[in-house]
């Protein structure tokens, strides 16, 4: 029955699968690249730092390094053309590039806000715009967007990051409505805390912190499940989901008390 079918086509056989990871030079993206390489995927790796991408690609079987800056709207199309020249198609793009600057209301500068939204939101939209025509031609394939549980509700210090991730969740839902009927899967990946360069700047004990390698394994397991949302670690993300349903007064009070230094 359609009600019980997974929302996306599950991905479990990675042998020869053509995967483009944007934001692959460190953290979760680099760990995903290593995991998928070990499972036999063909990889295209993008981020700004060509040197770090080459380090990640070192020793991999079938890999292309395609440096790009996601804030350069014109950068995606040439990279996509290189991918199509080499592979003739694309099975999965993982839009994982992201940036985080802790911001309180009194630190807010429009420069930081713009840079965050440009990288985290517009950078994903430009990536999606570059791959959708090919996915529609193929009538199959998958787009995975890395959001965050910080997009569920407002959290301290996430003044620009949180809204960018909340917008991504909405964007992925809207994209799903259009693309799923065309045979194209859309996944939103919402991690909790993962130990990476991005979170190394946090000055508090991160609850339920996991390694990037563990995050990569959970993402791969999520693709095999075929659900729209992949969120982890669930001991943490389930609590965050529950908090979404609290009345504002209770939510603000709990979060203020729970995050007080
Ligand atoms: N770590 C966590 O706890 C956590 C939790 C929830 C969600 N996330 C999300 O997970 C994703 C990966 O983050 P991470 O924790 O693995 O951090 P990370 O190690 O800092 O990785 C960020 C990646 O994005 C790339 N990137 C940043 N700005 C870019 C730009 N303008 N153009 C191209 N690439 C760019 C970086 O490469 P270059 O610097 O070489 O460009 C790097 O490869 C992000 O979207 C983040 O928001 C992380």
């Amino acid at each position: 029955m359609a009600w019980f079918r997974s929302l996306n086509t599950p991905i479990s056989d990675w042998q020869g699968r053509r995967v483009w990871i944007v934001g692959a030079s460190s953290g979760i993206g680099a760990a995903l690249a290593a995991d998928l390489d070990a499972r036999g995927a063909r990889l295209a790796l993008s981020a700004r730092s060509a040197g770090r991408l080459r380090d990640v690609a070192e020793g991999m079987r079938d890999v292309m390094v395609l440096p790009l800056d996601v804030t350069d709207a014109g950068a995606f199309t040439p990279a996509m053309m290189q991918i199509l020249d080499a592979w003739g198609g694309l099975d999965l793009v993982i839009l994982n590039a992201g940036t985080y600057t802790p911001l309180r209301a009194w630190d807010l500068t429009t420069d930081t806000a713009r840079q965050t939204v440009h990288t985290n939101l517009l950078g994903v939209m430009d990536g999606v715009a570059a791959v959708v025509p090919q996915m529609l031609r193929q009538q199959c394939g998958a787009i995975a967007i890395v959001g965050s549980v910080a997009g569920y509700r407002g959290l301290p210090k996430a003044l620009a990051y949180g809204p960018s991730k909340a917008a991504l969740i909405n964007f992925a839902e809207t994209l799903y409505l259009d693309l799923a009927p065309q045979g194209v899967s859309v996944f939103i990946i919402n991690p909790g805390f993962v130990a990476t360069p991005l979170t190394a700047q946090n000055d508090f004990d991160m609850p339920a912190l996991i390694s990037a390698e563990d995050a990569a394994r959970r993402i791969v397991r999520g693709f095999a499940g075929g659900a729209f949302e992949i969120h982890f670690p669930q001991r943490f993300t389930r609590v965050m989901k529950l908090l979404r349903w609290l009345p504002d007064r209770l939510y603000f009070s709990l979060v203020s008390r729970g995050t007080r230094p």
Side-chain angles (χ1 to χ4, degrees), residues 179-259:
L179 294 184
Q182 306 288 329
V184 179
S185 296
V186 178
F187 295 88
I188 181 79
I189 300 170
N190 289 325
F193 287 109
V194 183
T196 68
L198 184 136
T199 48
Q201 58 188 318
N202 283 341
D203 56 0
F204 56 90
D205 277 342
M206 291 176 268
L209 182 70
I210 60 172
S211 69
E213 291 69 27
D214 191 3
R217 281 191 295 274
R218 289 168 194 260
I219 291 169
V220 170
R221 216 179 301 145
F223 284 134
F228 167 70
E229 185 188 11
I230 300 172
H231 61 96
F232 57 83
Q234 295 199 354
R235 65 185 184 278
F236 179 66
T237 53
R238 285 211 180 106
V239 175
M240 297 303 288
K241 279 178 179 293
L242 216 61
L243 290 178
R244 278 202 294 200
W245 300 107
L246 293 183
D248 296 341
R249 184 181 300 278
L250 190 54
Y251 177 76
F252 290 139
S253 155
L254 279 177
V255 171
S256 304
R257 269 188 282 153
T259 58

Side-chain angles (χ1 to χ4, degrees), residues 6-22:
S6 52
L7 287 173
N8 284 315
T9 306
I11 307 173
S12 46
D13 179 8
W14 292 95
Q15 198 60 45
R17 206 170 279 271
R18 300 161 299 182
V19 183
W20 184 12
I21 305 177
V22 181

Side-chain angles (χ1 to χ4, degrees), residues 143-158:
I143 297 172
I145 293 171
V146 179
S148 166
V149 295
Y152 288 172
R153 280 195 87 164
L155 290 170
K157 299 191 183 172

Side-chain angles (χ1 to χ4, degrees), residues 23 25-26 28 48-49 69-70 96 147 161 165 192 194 196-199:
S25 62
S26 62
I28 297 169
R48 288 166 302 184
S49 161
D69 184 336
V70 300
N96 168 72
Y161 182 79
K165 295 297 185 176
V194 183
T196 68
L198 184 136
T199 48

